[in-house]
Amino acid sequence: MNNKELVAELARRLGKTQKEIGSLLAIATDAMVGAMNEETLLSIQGFGSFEVRKKQDRILINPVTKQKMVIPPKLSLTFKVGTTYKNKLKNLSTSGK
């Protein structure tokens, strides 16, 4: 499912226009990104948690030239699914769907 399909499905379920839902979704994602800039953990009860992790710098060696290069540190986003949805997914996979 892509963003356009998600907006269409939410609009259908909520009885709103796709433009309204698109705006609401943009505001929600902006708020989530803002919260992750201030904190390293964003937890949505039942759904899961997003965590910003800093990867350390590392040394990479080119196998052909044997030249060493330093790869700078970077931030990465991880997601851990909540137990509610983990159980729902587990039930879907065991029921054969």
Side-chain angles (χ1 to χ4, degrees):
M1 176 179 280
N2 61 28
N3 188 49
K4 191 174 184 179
E5 294 169 341
L6 176 63
V7 169
E9 180 64 19
L10 288 174
R12 185 187 65 79
R13 287 187 184 192
L14 296 173
K16 303 282 184 182
T17 66
Q18 289 188 15
K19 187 174 183 178
E20 290 173 322
I21 298 298
S23 297
L24 182 65
L25 195 56
I27 291 168
T29 54
D30 286 345
M32 290 172 67
V33 169
M36 285 184 276
N37 282 336
E38 296 171 8
E39 300 285 329
T40 58
L41 183 68
L42 172 67
S43 182
I44 302 172
Q45 188 171 358
F47 181 69
S49 59
F50 297 90
E51 184 177 8
V52 177
R53 293 186 180 170
K54 183 176 181 180
K55 292 188 175 186
Q56 299 298 320
D57 55 344
R58 57 194 172 102
I59 297 174
L60 180 78
I61 300 174
N62 186 326
V64 176
T65 64
K66 306 296 185 208
Q67 182 182 9
K68 292 183 180 181
M69 295 178 281
V70 176
I71 306 297
K74 66 178 182 175
L75 298 176
S76 67
L77 182 65
T78 60
F79 175 72
K80 183 177 179 186
V81 68
T83 55
T84 303
Y85 286 99
K86 186 184 281 188
N87 291 336
K88 285 183 180 183
L89 290 172
K90 192 182 290 184
N91 290 339
L92 283 176
S93 66
T94 57
S95 66
K97 290 185 180 177

